[in-house]
Amino acid sequence: MAPSISSYLVIFGVAVAVTLVATPVMRRISERMGIMAEPDARRVHTQATAVLGGVAMFIGFVVAMGVAWFMSDFDVVFATASEPVGIVIAGLVMVVCGTYDDVREMSAPAKVAAMVLAGSVLAFAGVTILNLRLPVLDALILSQDLAFVVTVLWLLAIVNAINLIDGLDGLAAGIVAIAGITFFAYSIKLSDSEVLLSNNIGPLIAIIASGVALGFLPQNFHRARIFMGDGGALFLGTLLVASTVSVGGRSSEPFTGQTYFLFAPMLIPLIILAVPVVDVLWTVLRRTRARTSITAPDKEHLHHRLMRLGHGHRRSVLILWLFTGLMSTLVLYPTYTGAGEAIVLPVAAALVLMLYTVFHPVLRRRAN
């Protein structure tokens, strides 16, 4: 039998609590060791800030995984140890490489190599995209070689999306928390409907990702006392990859509520993560047209544009959180109700939010 919801909630609580305790500890260690993010032209913060948040989240993740390992309710998930071990190792690779980049800066090719290594670890451990259903088309059963390549490319896309959106205090952590809870709820529904096998590790990784992000958030919301850094962003991205691959890459059967997505489960995480995905696509297009390096830093991301419109730091973050929540509604409401017409309300709410985003600062300036 699949683990109960109460067992998942216990693991979620452990992830939140351990990260909540570990984060201020890592902040003090970071400050004493002088591992700080200094203000510069491409950052919006104005004072040196600790950057070992990724290590704190990794500690919360490992402890939560360890507790789950010892709970009998998760025996079916850990029956084959290769996937859990592979996810832990891939996460460790990203934390170590990302933290090294925070301290000394790695070259872009070296960072890509580290991401490829993490994706390869996942693939070798069995965390691969087995079924790829494209819109309108039937599901494709991928060969072992092709599954490996697609999994690594998926990791490169999602990890970089989370890394690029990590530009304002609390933004990336909040988006990952919302995405993790949404994907957990989505995967539980598929599991209850027997679309997923009971031993699927996706729901567990999704709820832990959400837990460590929420546990980190109190120290990271504006004004942040610690940043997750590349170590945290790459790590959280890896957890989302492991979860989405385990669920979306293995659910090939049609399911009520998926009709809205044209029976393409791998589109689900792209919809939930619309904010970072759109941001990374826009970034690539913008820098390609300008004939600059794709890795060149700038202040043209979505959150920077919101702040230039007149929104403050916190409001910009809250707007993008709310937009992520609305996109998550597009996934969960039809999935749980089977009513495709339900997309009208969240789409209308999204339009209202967009109008508020664009016009509120203008109206406020006119009023003054």
Side-chain angles (χ1 to χ4, degrees):
M1 293 182 61
S4 64
I5 296 296
S6 60
S7 296
Y8 280 118
L9 291 178
V10 169
I11 300 304
F12 174 75
V14 170
V16 172
V18 173
T19 308
L20 196 61
V21 172
T23 300
V25 174
M26 294 311 304
R27 175 172 61 84
R28 295 188 186 96
I29 292 174
S30 182
E31 290 171 347
R32 289 180 181 178
M33 295 180 65
I35 303 175
M36 310 289 284
E38 300 291 341
D40 60 28
R42 67 189 181 94
R43 294 188 173 104
V44 298
H45 71 285
T46 57
Q47 60 186 21
T49 307
V51 293
L52 293 182
V55 178
M57 288 188 284
F58 183 74
I59 293 172
F61 166 70
V62 170
V63 173
M65 286 288 283
V67 172
W69 182 287
F70 285 106
M71 290 179 64
S72 59
D73 212 15
F74 290 98
D75 285 348
V76 64
V77 175
F78 290 98
T80 302
S82 64
E83 289 190 0
V85 171
I87 293 171
V88 171
I89 293 175
L92 179 61
V93 169
M94 288 286 88
V95 169
V96 170
C97 293
T99 302
Y100 182 86
D101 182 56
D102 292 326
V103 176
R104 296 199 174 183
E105 280 201 34
M106 295 175 65
S107 65
K111 288 178 70 173
V112 171
M115 295 174 193
V116 171
L117 174 60
S120 301
V121 170
L122 290 179
F124 280 123
V127 186
T128 56
I129 298 174
L130 304 178
N131 305 306
L132 185 61
R133 183 182 288 275
L134 301 175
V136 182
L137 303 178
D138 291 331
L140 302 175
I141 308 300
L142 301 183
S143 66
Q144 186 175 359
D145 292 341
L146 189 56
F148 180 94
V149 172
V150 173
T151 300
V152 171
L153 290 176
W154 184 253
L155 182 136
L156 287 170
I158 299 300
V159 162
N160 279 292
I162 298 300
N163 195 27
L164 285 175
I165 203 66
D166 182 32
L168 295 181
D169 297 349
L171 179 57
I175 286 177
V176 170
I178 296 169
I181 291 174
T182 303
F183 208 75
F184 169 75
Y186 174 77
S187 57
I188 287 298
K189 181 62 176 178
L190 265 60
S191 180
D192 290 343
S193 302
E194 299 183 352
V195 175
L196 289 181
L197 297 177
S198 60
N199 65 350
N200 194 291
I201 199 172
L204 176 63
I205 301 302
I207 200 67
I208 293 178
S210 181
V212 298
L214 284 175
F216 176 70
L217 198 52
Q219 292 273 322
N220 184 237
F221 196 57
H222 191 67
R223 296 182 177 262
R225 285 167 282 181
I226 185 171
F227 294 153
M228 67 173 64
D230 279 9
L234 300 183
F235 170 64
L236 288 180
T238 301
L239 294 189
L240 290 181
V241 167
S243 178
T244 56
V245 164
S246 298
V247 176
R250 298 177 187 177
S251 55
S252 60
E253 296 298 321
F255 172 70
T256 301
Q258 286 183 347
T259 51
Y260 165 65
F261 306 105
L262 304 176
F263 298 129
M266 288 307 291
L267 290 182
I268 303 297
L270 296 182
I271 295 170
I272 297 172
L273 295 171
V275 170
V277 168
V278 168
D279 189 56
V280 73
L281 291 175
W282 172 250
T283 298
V284 171
L285 177 62
R286 181 180 69 249
R287 294 175 184 174
T288 300
R289 291 180 61 186
R291 296 182 180 179
T292 60
S293 171
I294 293 179
T295 60
D298 59 32
K299 283 190 174 182
E300 296 298 326
H301 295 288
L302 293 177
H303 45 278
H304 294 133
R305 289 171 176 268
L306 281 172
M307 293 188 70
R308 283 203 298 272
L309 279 173
H311 296 292
H313 196 124
R314 291 192 178 191
R315 185 188 291 143
S316 297
V317 171
L318 292 173
I319 286 171
L320 294 176
W321 282 1
L322 182 55
F323 191 83
T324 301
L326 289 170
M327 299 306 291
S328 297
T329 302
L330 293 177
V331 171
L332 292 183
Y333 202 97
T335 299
Y336 273 79
T337 66
E341 294 80 6
I343 67 171
V344 175
L345 181 60
V347 167
L351 291 174
V352 171
L353 176 63
M354 292 173 64
L355 289 174
Y356 171 83
T357 299
V358 173
F359 291 112
H360 174 74
V362 176
L363 294 175
R364 188 176 61 184
R365 285 196 295 268
R366 288 181 178 177
N368 292 334

